[in-house]
Amino acid sequence: MTVSESNEERAGDDEPKRSTPDHAVDFPPVENGVDYLLSVVEHLTAEKPPGPRHLKYAVLHLQAATEVLLKARLQREHWSLVFAKPETATRKNFESGTFDSCTTEGTIARLQGIAGVVIDDKTVGYVKDLIKSRNALQHYGLTYSARSVESHAVKVLDFLLAFVHTELLPALSPDEVRKVAGTLETVGEDVRTIQSFIKRRLNRLKGELRAVQDKTVECPSCDQWAMVVGGQEGEPTCHFCHQNWGDRGANGAADLYQWARTEDSEVIEPCPTCGVKALLLDCVQVAADPLTRCSLCFGCGTRHDDLPACNACEKLYVPDKDTMGLCGECEYLATR
Ligand SMILES: [Zn+2]
Ligand SMILES: [Zn+2]
Ligand SMILES: [Zn+2]
């Protein structure tokens, strides 16, 4: 069995899992990973925009490429490091492929902490998002739009291409390098084509979004500065990927936004203006002022910086002239 087959059959990325060793004799890891990259760009460029089936395989193969290539580097550091528990590693199990291998997130942590590989936070975020969308796809079917997958995938592809060049190729023999060089070139060209296509669409959007810069945020689905909050429906609209936020609407968008930035669920509050639990505290950057982190409601689009919390119920409220330190409801109950 090849690595590809075992990868595709696995359910999630949160659990350690069985895997065949990445050094499979018939298909060495770097060659295998680069082959996955080629498949990703083939699926992304097959149709315009890519259909559901192409998107599905683009996401699955991108996740497989990420895992195989990152692990190839970790394995170069030491083969035992690809075990979920390196202390249980034996050469015999490694060679037969009978072991629980570490998760992709674990691989990144080991690359950073042990192998001294520099991977910036933004990229780690993209990879985590990729794992998340792969799992969502595997379990619930694809819910991300074509534009969103494309724009996200291109960032991970960009990172992996650089990673292959700086971290993996230098350790290969000239013969092995020759084997992957042509494919890498094709992948690079396709990635640049997709990038310039995305850039053209963003340029076209510029005029459209000029008047709403103070309500435009980075879309948590496609990572483009194209999501406008506070529209008529009380739901954010991304002008780039047109992500549909489904039943959870503004709350779902806010949830994904904060997850990508803070991994802290404490920052979403019910908005005192519209009542929807979509007020993100101190973590939103708007296009008009991307250097400041503000508090913004993803439902009604109202800016609510530095709201006081009610002394009685601890809910955030908009203070009026009087200074009792209570929200409207508690004040009403207290003065009755
Ligand atoms: Zn978007
Ligand atoms: Zn609101
Ligand atoms: Zn209160």
Side-chain angles (χ1 to χ4, degrees):
M1 187 163 79
T2 64
V3 175
S4 72
E5 282 154 1
S6 74
N7 275 337
E8 279 179 23
E9 253 127 59
R10 287 196 317 250
D13 201 73
D14 356 65
E15 298 289 319
K17 58 244 165 171
R18 299 262 138 189
S19 94
T20 47
D22 288 341
H23 72 251
V25 187
D26 52 335
F27 216 16
V30 178
E31 204 181 327
N32 188 22
V34 169
D35 187 53
Y36 275 129
L37 291 181
L38 180 66
S39 167
V40 175
V41 294
E42 280 173 353
H43 283 294
L44 286 179
T45 55
E47 297 167 3
K48 258 184 186 186
R53 191 167 173 279
H54 285 302
L55 290 173
K56 176 177 142 182
Y57 286 104
V59 171
L60 289 177
H61 290 172
L62 185 55
Q63 208 274 333
T66 307
E67 187 178 338
V68 170
L69 293 170
L70 294 181
K71 282 198 177 139
R73 175 64 183 84
L74 194 58
Q75 201 174 301
R76 217 183 84 203
E77 203 64 22
H78 196 271
W79 56 267
S80 67
L81 291 173
V82 298
F83 281 64
K85 293 189 178 124
E87 66 271 27
T88 65
T90 64
R91 188 81 212 190
K92 189 167 160 260
N93 287 350
F94 176 68
E95 269 159 17
S96 62
T98 45
F99 60 94
D100 290 330
S101 73
C102 66
T103 62
T104 306
E105 283 188 42
T107 302
I108 291 175
R110 287 177 193 180
L111 283 175
Q112 291 173 318
I114 300 170
V117 175
V118 179
I119 306 175
D120 62 84
D121 291 349
K122 201 110 202 184
T123 304
V124 175
Y126 295 143
V127 173
K128 282 186 185 171
D129 278 358
L130 170 70
I131 295 167
K132 208 178 176 187
S133 44
R134 178 197 181 275
N135 290 349
L137 176 93
Q138 204 84 330
H139 297 293
Y140 317 109
L142 190 68
T143 53
Y144 297 93
S145 76
R147 294 303 174 222
S148 153
V149 171
E150 199 171 55
S151 119
H152 213 103
V154 92
K155 291 184 175 163
V156 178
L157 282 167
D158 208 31
F159 157 69
L160 288 177
L161 278 174
F163 185 84
V164 169
H165 283 285
T166 58
E167 299 291 339
L168 296 171
L169 293 190
L172 297 183
S173 70
D175 232 26
E176 289 169 310
V177 172
R178 216 167 301 130
K179 268 190 181 163
V180 294
T183 312
L184 278 175
E185 208 165 297
T186 308
V187 174
E189 275 165 23
D190 282 347
V191 167
R192 283 188 294 277
T193 306
I194 301 170
Q195 278 167 335
S196 68
F197 171 69
I198 290 174
K199 212 166 167 187
R200 273 205 304 280
R201 297 192 67 232
L202 282 173
N203 279 340
R204 248 178 298 164
L205 274 180
K206 262 193 191 145
E208 211 176 299
L209 299 178
R210 194 162 291 137
V212 285
Q213 293 280 290
D214 55 335
K215 287 188 166 51
T216 303
V217 303
E218 197 177 15
C219 170
S221 173
C222 68
D223 304 315
Q224 304 295 351
W225 287 82
M227 189 167 87
V228 180
V229 301
Q232 284 182 334
E233 311 286 313
E235 195 171 304
T237 316
C238 177
H239 293 246
F240 185 85
C241 73
H242 305 284
Q243 175 72 33
N244 179 351
W245 297 104
D247 296 343
R248 289 182 61 212
N251 172 260
D255 212 29
L256 196 57
Y257 187 91
Q258 68 86 24
W259 180 85
R261 253 137 252 265
T262 63
E263 298 203 352
D264 175 6
S265 55
E266 300 296 297
V267 299
I268 308 182
E269 292 284 336
C271 168
T273 306
C274 68
V276 176
K277 194 174 181 218
L279 172 60
L280 281 158
L281 298 179
D282 305 319
C283 69
V284 183
Q285 291 153 285
V286 296
D289 181 16
L291 295 179
T292 309
R293 288 176 185 260
C294 67
S295 303
L296 186 71
C297 173
F298 274 24
C300 64
T302 310
R303 179 101 172 235
H304 279 304
D305 294 330
D306 306 316
L307 283 184
C310 169
N311 284 334
C313 71
E314 294 181 349
K315 242 181 9 206
L316 299 178
Y317 69 102
V318 184
D320 51 22
K321 318 158 263 332
D322 93 80
T323 52
M324 286 180 76
L326 298 175
C327 74
E329 278 165 57
C330 294
E331 198 181 290
Y332 172 71
L333 290 173
T335 53
R336 220 159 46 135

